[in-house]
Amino acid sequence: MSRARRRQDGRAGSHRALSRSFGRLALLGAVLVVAGVVGLLYVGFATLTTMILFGWLLLVGGLVGLLHAFQSRQSNFFWLAVVVAALNLAAGVVVIRQPEGTAEALTMFAALLFLAGGVFRLAGGLVVRGPQFGWTLVQGAFGVLLGVLVLADWPHSSLYVIGTFFSLALLFDGLGLIAIGVGGRRVVSLVEQEGQQKGHGGRGGAGPAASTPPG
């Protein structure tokens, strides 16, 4: 087998591997989209699932932090690392045992963040009056409105706010992964086709030249 043929086969293999990788990325995006849609349909279940997942993440993070602290116990930050790991463990236990109460507290915190951020955007836009003046006012008004709506229906809003936000994040992340996967596979396919056309053109151009008798 010639060196050019081996090089062409190597490129084709790398193209196929890259196409499969983009395909798996698109498949992961489809799974996230399905999870996001299911979460939007069952926001109460999505909220409780998010809280329990958050609690387990805190527990795992606390255990890892505690292990890392004892591995580096000769450092000056040993006790600080132990305290942070213990707080993560305690918070994880509280979140897992009381997901509804944690959801209420996080919903209140999120509503206050929306409200405060909206007020600051409105005040900053009115004072600065920069080139994005109108867009800043729209963002600020939307933040204030969202914060007021969540607070007005609290604590009942804690049953759907966190689940809705988490499901929307899954949905948009999944759509982004699908776009990257499909677009990547299309680009790989175009590159592969262009390489094949160049290869056929090179071989086709070499034939007549080689068969022409010397003048």
Side-chain angles (χ1 to χ4, degrees), residues 81-106:
V82 170
V83 170
V84 172
L87 289 176
N88 284 334
L89 289 173
V93 171
V94 171
V95 171
I96 292 174
R97 294 189 63 180
Q98 296 180 351
E100 295 89 353
T102 307
E104 291 179 2
L106 287 180

Side-chain angles (χ1 to χ4, degrees), residues 205-214:
S211 61
T212 302

Side-chain angles (χ1 to χ4, degrees), residues 40-63:
L40 289 175
L41 294 176
Y42 303 97
V43 288
F45 176 76
T47 297
L48 292 180
T49 303
T50 304
M51 290 296 95
I52 293 174
L53 178 62
F54 180 57
W56 280 107
L57 288 176
L58 287 174
L59 277 179
V60 172
L63 291 174

